[in-house]
Amino acid sequence: MSAFSDAELAYLNGERRLGRLATVGKDGTPHVVPVGLSYSPEHDAIEIGGRDFARSKKYRDVKRTGRAAIVVDDLESTDPWRPRAVEVRGRAEATDGAHPRIRIYPDRIVSWGIG
């Protein structure tokens, strides 16, 4: 059974492939960056990767803290104004190997406008 609702999974597996990843730097400063993402049914987690990924600040932040958050959002309509999103906060791991990744396991999921 997934931590995500059916509506959240449909949204995450739809056309949206861009999110905003939040991590915390060594000095406590928040760091937010746009990233590509996918949902991993095997891990019931959000996965993030990229080019030269293991050398990135976001990867180092997650490796150090084990925490991250991501928001995946868009506008269903601008008239009327209808934003929709899924926010995931949780335990995160920075995986090593041929394709380094950040994997976020949800502790808290907040969604709006998708149901």
Side-chain angles (χ1 to χ4, degrees), residues 21-31 57-69 90-94 102-104 107:
L21 174 70
T23 61
V24 178
K26 218 185 271 191
D27 64 355
T29 303
H31 181 239
K57 178 177 178 2
K58 56 192 160 282
Y59 184 87
R60 290 189 311 270
D61 286 349
V62 167
K63 197 137 184 109
R64 190 185 69 261
T65 66
R67 304 292 296 170
R91 183 177 61 82
E93 67 177 335
I102 289 174
R103 191 173 291 136
I104 304 172
D107 289 336

PDB file of all heavy atoms in Angstrom, residues 21-31 57-69 90-94 102-104 107:
ATOM      1  N   LEU A  21      13.032  21.136  -5.234  1.00  0.00           N
ATOM      2  CA  LEU A  21      13.622  20.377  -4.138  1.00  0.00           C
ATOM      3  C   LEU A  21      14.186  21.342  -3.101  1.00  0.00           C
ATOM      4  O   LEU A  21      14.914  22.276  -3.449  1.00  0.00           O
ATOM      5  CB  LEU A  21      14.745  19.485  -4.667  1.00  0.00           C
ATOM      6  CG  LEU A  21      15.556  18.728  -3.614  1.00  0.00           C
ATOM      7  CD1 LEU A  21      14.706  17.626  -2.979  1.00  0.00           C
ATOM      8  CD2 LEU A  21      16.815  18.152  -4.227  1.00  0.00           C
ATOM      9  N   ALA A  22      13.863  21.090  -1.842  1.00  0.00           N
ATOM     10  CA  ALA A  22      14.390  21.898  -0.738  1.00  0.00           C
ATOM     11  C   ALA A  22      15.287  21.031   0.134  1.00  0.00           C
ATOM     12  O   ALA A  22      14.905  19.933   0.539  1.00  0.00           O
ATOM     13  CB  ALA A  22      13.252  22.471   0.090  1.00  0.00           C
ATOM     14  N   THR A  23      16.488  21.549   0.399  1.00  0.00           N
ATOM     15  CA  THR A  23      17.424  20.916   1.317  1.00  0.00           C
ATOM     16  C   THR A  23      17.951  22.002   2.251  1.00  0.00           C
ATOM     17  O   THR A  23      17.641  23.183   2.081  1.00  0.00           O
ATOM     18  CB  THR A  23      18.610  20.255   0.572  1.00  0.00           C
ATOM     19  OG1 THR A  23      19.330  21.257  -0.155  1.00  0.00           O
ATOM     20  CG2 THR A  23      18.121  19.167  -0.374  1.00  0.00           C
ATOM     21  N   VAL A  24      18.758  21.596   3.224  1.00  0.00           N
ATOM     22  CA  VAL A  24      19.335  22.549   4.168  1.00  0.00           C
ATOM     23  C   VAL A  24      20.847  22.443   4.107  1.00  0.00           C
ATOM     24  O   VAL A  24      21.413  21.365   4.254  1.00  0.00           O
ATOM     25  CB  VAL A  24      18.842  22.285   5.605  1.00  0.00           C
ATOM     26  CG1 VAL A  24      19.492  23.252   6.586  1.00  0.00           C
ATOM     27  CG2 VAL A  24      17.325  22.397   5.672  1.00  0.00           C
ATOM     28  N   GLY A  25      21.494  23.597   3.883  1.00  0.00           N
ATOM     29  CA  GLY A  25      22.945  23.650   3.792  1.00  0.00           C
ATOM     30  C   GLY A  25      23.625  23.471   5.135  1.00  0.00           C
ATOM     31  O   GLY A  25      22.982  23.487   6.193  1.00  0.00           O
ATOM     32  N   LYS A  26      24.926  23.304   5.087  1.00  0.00           N
ATOM     33  CA  LYS A  26      25.739  23.087   6.288  1.00  0.00           C
ATOM     34  C   LYS A  26      25.547  24.195   7.323  1.00  0.00           C
ATOM     35  O   LYS A  26      25.556  23.950   8.521  1.00  0.00           O
ATOM     36  CB  LYS A  26      27.218  23.033   5.887  1.00  0.00           C
ATOM     37  CG  LYS A  26      28.018  22.027   6.655  1.00  0.00           C
ATOM     38  CD  LYS A  26      29.487  22.095   6.317  1.00  0.00           C
ATOM     39  CE  LYS A  26      29.790  21.191   5.149  1.00  0.00           C
ATOM     40  NZ  LYS A  26      31.232  21.004   4.933  1.00  0.00           N
ATOM     41  N   ASP A  27      25.339  25.428   6.840  1.00  0.00           N
ATOM     42  CA  ASP A  27      25.169  26.570   7.744  1.00  0.00           C
ATOM     43  C   ASP A  27      23.715  26.815   8.125  1.00  0.00           C
ATOM     44  O   ASP A  27      23.392  27.815   8.751  1.00  0.00           O
ATOM     45  CB  ASP A  27      25.770  27.828   7.122  1.00  0.00           C
ATOM     46  CG  ASP A  27      25.058  28.257   5.849  1.00  0.00           C
ATOM     47  OD1 ASP A  27      24.150  27.525   5.382  1.00  0.00           O
ATOM     48  OD2 ASP A  27      25.405  29.326   5.305  1.00  0.00           O
ATOM     49  N   GLY A  28      22.794  25.904   7.735  1.00  0.00           N
ATOM     50  CA  GLY A  28      21.388  26.043   8.073  1.00  0.00           C
ATOM     51  C   GLY A  28      20.576  26.827   7.055  1.00  0.00           C
ATOM     52  O   GLY A  28      19.380  27.009   7.235  1.00  0.00           O
ATOM     53  N   THR A  29      21.218  27.291   6.005  1.00  0.00           N
ATOM     54  CA  THR A  29      20.524  28.061   4.981  1.00  0.00           C
ATOM     55  C   THR A  29      19.700  27.138   4.080  1.00  0.00           C
ATOM     56  O   THR A  29      20.211  26.139   3.587  1.00  0.00           O
ATOM     57  CB  THR A  29      21.544  28.827   4.106  1.00  0.00           C
ATOM     58  OG1 THR A  29      22.331  29.654   4.947  1.00  0.00           O
ATOM     59  CG2 THR A  29      20.849  29.657   3.048  1.00  0.00           C
ATOM     60  N   PRO A  30      18.418  27.475   3.851  1.00  0.00           N
ATOM     61  CA  PRO A  30      17.614  26.676   2.925  1.00  0.00           C
ATOM     62  C   PRO A  30      18.155  26.782   1.508  1.00  0.00           C
ATOM     63  O   PRO A  30      18.676  27.826   1.108  1.00  0.00           O
ATOM     64  CB  PRO A  30      16.224  27.308   3.007  1.00  0.00           C
ATOM     65  CG  PRO A  30      16.232  28.173   4.207  1.00  0.00           C
ATOM     66  CD  PRO A  30      17.656  28.555   4.462  1.00  0.00           C
ATOM     67  N   HIS A  31      18.014  25.712   0.761  1.00  0.00           N
ATOM     68  CA  HIS A  31      18.466  25.658  -0.629  1.00  0.00           C
ATOM     69  C   HIS A  31      17.324  25.051  -1.437  1.00  0.00           C
ATOM     70  O   HIS A  31      16.918  23.915  -1.166  1.00  0.00           O
ATOM     71  CB  HIS A  31      19.730  24.800  -0.712  1.00  0.00           C
ATOM     72  CG  HIS A  31      20.314  24.685  -2.075  1.00  0.00           C
ATOM     73  ND1 HIS A  31      20.482  23.477  -2.708  1.00  0.00           N
ATOM     74  CD2 HIS A  31      20.781  25.620  -2.932  1.00  0.00           C
ATOM     75  CE1 HIS A  31      21.036  23.676  -3.893  1.00  0.00           C
ATOM     76  NE2 HIS A  31      21.216  24.961  -4.050  1.00  0.00           N
ATOM     77  N   LYS A  57      25.345  20.346  -4.685  1.00  0.00           N
ATOM     78  CA  LYS A  57      25.065  20.778  -3.316  1.00  0.00           C
ATOM     79  C   LYS A  57      23.867  20.022  -2.743  1.00  0.00           C
ATOM     80  O   LYS A  57      23.890  19.589  -1.600  1.00  0.00           O
ATOM     81  CB  LYS A  57      24.815  22.285  -3.283  1.00  0.00           C
ATOM     82  CG  LYS A  57      24.458  22.809  -1.901  1.00  0.00           C
ATOM     83  CD  LYS A  57      24.284  24.302  -1.912  1.00  0.00           C
ATOM     84  CE  LYS A  57      23.883  24.897  -0.595  1.00  0.00           C
ATOM     85  NZ  LYS A  57      23.731  24.066   0.551  1.00  0.00           N
ATOM     86  N   LYS A  58      22.828  19.858  -3.532  1.00  0.00           N
ATOM     87  CA  LYS A  58      21.627  19.172  -3.053  1.00  0.00           C
ATOM     88  C   LYS A  58      21.944  17.729  -2.627  1.00  0.00           C
ATOM     89  O   LYS A  58      21.448  17.259  -1.610  1.00  0.00           O
ATOM     90  CB  LYS A  58      20.502  19.226  -4.083  1.00  0.00           C
ATOM     91  CG  LYS A  58      20.853  18.689  -5.433  1.00  0.00           C
ATOM     92  CD  LYS A  58      19.770  19.051  -6.458  1.00  0.00           C
ATOM     93  CE  LYS A  58      20.270  18.966  -7.860  1.00  0.00           C
ATOM     94  NZ  LYS A  58      21.073  20.066  -8.314  1.00  0.00           N
ATOM     95  N   TYR A  59      22.766  17.061  -3.399  1.00  0.00           N
ATOM     96  CA  TYR A  59      23.165  15.689  -3.078  1.00  0.00           C
ATOM     97  C   TYR A  59      23.967  15.668  -1.767  1.00  0.00           C
ATOM     98  O   TYR A  59      23.702  14.851  -0.884  1.00  0.00           O
ATOM     99  CB  TYR A  59      23.996  15.131  -4.235  1.00  0.00           C
ATOM    100  CG  TYR A  59      24.389  13.689  -4.084  1.00  0.00           C
ATOM    101  CD1 TYR A  59      23.548  12.666  -4.509  1.00  0.00           C
ATOM    102  CD2 TYR A  59      25.620  13.339  -3.537  1.00  0.00           C
ATOM    103  CE1 TYR A  59      23.915  11.333  -4.386  1.00  0.00           C
ATOM    104  CE2 TYR A  59      25.992  12.011  -3.414  1.00  0.00           C
ATOM    105  CZ  TYR A  59      25.139  11.017  -3.834  1.00  0.00           C
ATOM    106  OH  TYR A  59      25.510   9.700  -3.707  1.00  0.00           O
ATOM    107  N   ARG A  60      24.924  16.586  -1.632  1.00  0.00           N
ATOM    108  CA  ARG A  60      25.726  16.658  -0.399  1.00  0.00           C
ATOM    109  C   ARG A  60      24.848  16.992   0.806  1.00  0.00           C
ATOM    110  O   ARG A  60      25.025  16.425   1.887  1.00  0.00           O
ATOM    111  CB  ARG A  60      26.847  17.691  -0.547  1.00  0.00           C
ATOM    112  CG  ARG A  60      27.938  17.283  -1.500  1.00  0.00           C
ATOM    113  CD  ARG A  60      29.138  18.225  -1.454  1.00  0.00           C
ATOM    114  NE  ARG A  60      28.814  19.636  -1.554  1.00  0.00           N
ATOM    115  CZ  ARG A  60      28.729  20.331  -2.691  1.00  0.00           C
ATOM    116  NH1 ARG A  60      28.943  19.726  -3.855  1.00  0.00           N
ATOM    117  NH2 ARG A  60      28.443  21.609  -2.681  1.00  0.00           N
ATOM    118  N   ASP A  61      23.904  17.921   0.622  1.00  0.00           N
ATOM    119  CA  ASP A  61      23.001  18.289   1.722  1.00  0.00           C
ATOM    120  C   ASP A  61      22.214  17.079   2.211  1.00  0.00           C
ATOM    121  O   ASP A  61      22.108  16.830   3.415  1.00  0.00           O
ATOM    122  CB  ASP A  61      22.008  19.374   1.286  1.00  0.00           C
ATOM    123  CG  ASP A  61      22.638  20.763   1.161  1.00  0.00           C
ATOM    124  OD1 ASP A  61      23.790  20.953   1.599  1.00  0.00           O
ATOM    125  OD2 ASP A  61      21.954  21.656   0.613  1.00  0.00           O
ATOM    126  N   VAL A  62      21.655  16.312   1.281  1.00  0.00           N
ATOM    127  CA  VAL A  62      20.867  15.135   1.662  1.00  0.00           C
ATOM    128  C   VAL A  62      21.751  14.074   2.288  1.00  0.00           C
ATOM    129  O   VAL A  62      21.382  13.447   3.280  1.00  0.00           O
ATOM    130  CB  VAL A  62      20.084  14.580   0.451  1.00  0.00           C
ATOM    131  CG1 VAL A  62      19.529  13.195   0.739  1.00  0.00           C
ATOM    132  CG2 VAL A  62      18.969  15.541   0.071  1.00  0.00           C
ATOM    133  N   LYS A  63      22.928  13.879   1.751  1.00  0.00           N
ATOM    134  CA  LYS A  63      23.859  12.890   2.312  1.00  0.00           C
ATOM    135  C   LYS A  63      24.175  13.237   3.778  1.00  0.00           C
ATOM    136  O   LYS A  63      24.276  12.351   4.622  1.00  0.00           O
ATOM    137  CB  LYS A  63      25.146  12.862   1.483  1.00  0.00           C
ATOM    138  CG  LYS A  63      25.965  11.630   1.717  1.00  0.00           C
ATOM    139  CD  LYS A  63      26.461  11.119   0.387  1.00  0.00           C
ATOM    140  CE  LYS A  63      27.206   9.854   0.523  1.00  0.00           C
ATOM    141  NZ  LYS A  63      26.519   8.702   0.017  1.00  0.00           N
ATOM    142  N   ARG A  64      24.307  14.529   4.062  1.00  0.00           N
ATOM    143  CA  ARG A  64      24.650  14.984   5.410  1.00  0.00           C
ATOM    144  C   ARG A  64      23.444  14.951   6.352  1.00  0.00           C
ATOM    145  O   ARG A  64      23.553  14.519   7.493  1.00  0.00           O
ATOM    146  CB  ARG A  64      25.223  16.399   5.356  1.00  0.00           C
ATOM    147  CG  ARG A  64      25.832  16.866   6.671  1.00  0.00           C
ATOM    148  CD  ARG A  64      26.295  18.322   6.632  1.00  0.00           C
ATOM    149  NE  ARG A  64      25.149  19.218   6.564  1.00  0.00           N
ATOM    150  CZ  ARG A  64      24.685  19.785   5.443  1.00  0.00           C
ATOM    151  NH1 ARG A  64      25.285  19.604   4.303  1.00  0.00           N
ATOM    152  NH2 ARG A  64      23.629  20.554   5.474  1.00  0.00           N
ATOM    153  N   THR A  65      22.263  15.399   5.898  1.00  0.00           N
ATOM    154  CA  THR A  65      21.120  15.567   6.803  1.00  0.00           C
ATOM    155  C   THR A  65      20.117  14.425   6.778  1.00  0.00           C
ATOM    156  O   THR A  65      19.413  14.200   7.770  1.00  0.00           O
ATOM    157  CB  THR A  65      20.333  16.847   6.465  1.00  0.00           C
ATOM    158  OG1 THR A  65      19.733  16.707   5.176  1.00  0.00           O
ATOM    159  CG2 THR A  65      21.223  18.075   6.530  1.00  0.00           C
ATOM    160  N   GLY A  66      19.999  13.739   5.642  1.00  0.00           N
ATOM    161  CA  GLY A  66      19.005  12.682   5.521  1.00  0.00           C
ATOM    162  C   GLY A  66      17.577  13.195   5.463  1.00  0.00           C
ATOM    163  O   GLY A  66      16.629  12.447   5.722  1.00  0.00           O
ATOM    164  N   ARG A  67      17.394  14.465   5.102  1.00  0.00           N
ATOM    165  CA  ARG A  67      16.058  15.074   5.035  1.00  0.00           C
ATOM    166  C   ARG A  67      15.950  15.905   3.761  1.00  0.00           C
ATOM    167  O   ARG A  67      16.933  16.476   3.291  1.00  0.00           O
ATOM    168  CB  ARG A  67      15.793  15.999   6.225  1.00  0.00           C
ATOM    169  CG  ARG A  67      15.950  15.371   7.573  1.00  0.00           C
ATOM    170  CD  ARG A  67      14.939  14.327   7.923  1.00  0.00           C
ATOM    171  NE  ARG A  67      13.596  14.898   8.009  1.00  0.00           N
ATOM    172  CZ  ARG A  67      12.492  14.155   8.105  1.00  0.00           C
ATOM    173  NH1 ARG A  67      12.571  12.853   8.118  1.00  0.00           N
ATOM    174  NH2 ARG A  67      11.322  14.723   8.187  1.00  0.00           N
ATOM    175  N   ALA A  68      14.718  15.995   3.226  1.00  0.00           N
ATOM    176  CA  ALA A  68      14.455  16.836   2.062  1.00  0.00           C
ATOM    177  C   ALA A  68      12.954  17.013   1.908  1.00  0.00           C
ATOM    178  O   ALA A  68      12.156  16.293   2.517  1.00  0.00           O
ATOM    179  CB  ALA A  68      15.050  16.222   0.794  1.00  0.00           C
ATOM    180  N   ALA A  69      12.584  17.974   1.080  1.00  0.00           N
ATOM    181  CA  ALA A  69      11.183  18.189   0.722  1.00  0.00           C
ATOM    182  C   ALA A  69      11.137  18.534  -0.756  1.00  0.00           C
ATOM    183  O   ALA A  69      12.105  19.055  -1.320  1.00  0.00           O
ATOM    184  CB  ALA A  69      10.583  19.313   1.550  1.00  0.00           C
ATOM    185  N   GLY A  90      10.169  14.496   3.983  1.00  0.00           N
ATOM    186  CA  GLY A  90      10.495  13.223   4.599  1.00  0.00           C
ATOM    187  C   GLY A  90      11.957  12.889   4.701  1.00  0.00           C
ATOM    188  O   GLY A  90      12.837  13.710   4.461  1.00  0.00           O
ATOM    189  N   ARG A  91      12.151  11.630   5.046  1.00  0.00           N
ATOM    190  CA  ARG A  91      13.498  11.069   5.128  1.00  0.00           C
ATOM    191  C   ARG A  91      14.020  10.943   3.709  1.00  0.00           C
ATOM    192  O   ARG A  91      13.283  10.566   2.788  1.00  0.00           O
ATOM    193  CB  ARG A  91      13.415   9.699   5.798  1.00  0.00           C
ATOM    194  CG  ARG A  91      14.735   9.027   6.014  1.00  0.00           C
ATOM    195  CD  ARG A  91      14.567   7.712   6.750  1.00  0.00           C
ATOM    196  NE  ARG A  91      13.750   6.737   6.037  1.00  0.00           N
ATOM    197  CZ  ARG A  91      14.207   5.953   5.068  1.00  0.00           C
ATOM    198  NH1 ARG A  91      15.468   6.029   4.674  1.00  0.00           N
ATOM    199  NH2 ARG A  91      13.406   5.082   4.472  1.00  0.00           N
ATOM    200  N   ALA A  92      15.270  11.286   3.530  1.00  0.00           N
ATOM    201  CA  ALA A  92      15.853  11.231   2.191  1.00  0.00           C
ATOM    202  C   ALA A  92      17.192  10.516   2.251  1.00  0.00           C
ATOM    203  O   ALA A  92      17.888  10.551   3.268  1.00  0.00           O
ATOM    204  CB  ALA A  92      16.039  12.645   1.644  1.00  0.00           C
ATOM    205  N   GLU A  93      17.515   9.864   1.147  1.00  0.00           N
ATOM    206  CA  GLU A  93      18.830   9.232   1.054  1.00  0.00           C
ATOM    207  C   GLU A  93      19.463   9.624  -0.268  1.00  0.00           C
ATOM    208  O   GLU A  93      18.775   9.822  -1.266  1.00  0.00           O
ATOM    209  CB  GLU A  93      18.742   7.715   1.194  1.00  0.00           C
ATOM    210  CG  GLU A  93      18.042   7.017   0.066  1.00  0.00           C
ATOM    211  CD  GLU A  93      18.047   5.504   0.231  1.00  0.00           C
ATOM    212  OE1 GLU A  93      18.937   4.948   0.910  1.00  0.00           O
ATOM    213  OE2 GLU A  93      17.145   4.865  -0.338  1.00  0.00           O
ATOM    214  N   ALA A  94      20.771   9.749  -0.227  1.00  0.00           N
ATOM    215  CA  ALA A  94      21.562  10.007  -1.430  1.00  0.00           C
ATOM    216  C   ALA A  94      22.215   8.693  -1.795  1.00  0.00           C
ATOM    217  O   ALA A  94      23.083   8.211  -1.066  1.00  0.00           O
ATOM    218  CB  ALA A  94      22.593  11.100  -1.157  1.00  0.00           C
ATOM    219  N   ILE A 102      18.739  11.048  -5.383  1.00  0.00           N
ATOM    220  CA  ILE A 102      18.151  11.372  -4.090  1.00  0.00           C
ATOM    221  C   ILE A 102      16.794  10.689  -4.090  1.00  0.00           C
ATOM    222  O   ILE A 102      16.039  10.788  -5.061  1.00  0.00           O
ATOM    223  CB  ILE A 102      17.981  12.895  -3.900  1.00  0.00           C
ATOM    224  CG1 ILE A 102      19.336  13.573  -3.713  1.00  0.00           C
ATOM    225  CG2 ILE A 102      17.074  13.179  -2.696  1.00  0.00           C
ATOM    226  CD1 ILE A 102      19.265  15.085  -3.675  1.00  0.00           C
ATOM    227  N   ARG A 103      16.509   9.994  -3.025  1.00  0.00           N
ATOM    228  CA  ARG A 103      15.216   9.320  -2.880  1.00  0.00           C
ATOM    229  C   ARG A 103      14.549   9.889  -1.633  1.00  0.00           C
ATOM    230  O   ARG A 103      15.130   9.853  -0.551  1.00  0.00           O
ATOM    231  CB  ARG A 103      15.437   7.820  -2.751  1.00  0.00           C
ATOM    232  CG  ARG A 103      14.186   7.001  -2.846  1.00  0.00           C
ATOM    233  CD  ARG A 103      14.497   5.516  -2.880  1.00  0.00           C
ATOM    234  NE  ARG A 103      15.141   5.151  -4.142  1.00  0.00           N
ATOM    235  CZ  ARG A 103      16.192   4.340  -4.241  1.00  0.00           C
ATOM    236  NH1 ARG A 103      16.731   3.809  -3.168  1.00  0.00           N
ATOM    237  NH2 ARG A 103      16.699   4.043  -5.413  1.00  0.00           N
ATOM    238  N   ILE A 104      13.321  10.412  -1.781  1.00  0.00           N
ATOM    239  CA  ILE A 104      12.581  10.987  -0.656  1.00  0.00           C
ATOM    240  C   ILE A 104      11.436  10.049  -0.287  1.00  0.00           C
ATOM    241  O   ILE A 104      10.541   9.799  -1.096  1.00  0.00           O
ATOM    242  CB  ILE A 104      12.025  12.386  -0.990  1.00  0.00           C
ATOM    243  CG1 ILE A 104      13.144  13.323  -1.431  1.00  0.00           C
ATOM    244  CG2 ILE A 104      11.287  12.964   0.233  1.00  0.00           C
ATOM    245  CD1 ILE A 104      12.660  14.667  -1.952  1.00  0.00           C
ATOM    246  N   ASP A 107       7.223  11.327   4.863  1.00  0.00           N
ATOM    247  CA  ASP A 107       6.729  11.351   6.244  1.00  0.00           C
ATOM    248  C   ASP A 107       5.432  12.148   6.274  1.00  0.00           C
ATOM    249  O   ASP A 107       4.550  11.880   7.071  1.00  0.00           O
ATOM    250  CB  ASP A 107       7.725  12.030   7.191  1.00  0.00           C
ATOM    251  CG  ASP A 107       8.965  11.199   7.446  1.00  0.00           C
ATOM    252  OD1 ASP A 107       8.895   9.956   7.302  1.00  0.00           O
ATOM    253  OD2 ASP A 107      10.016  11.785   7.761  1.00  0.00           O
TER     254      ASP A 107
END
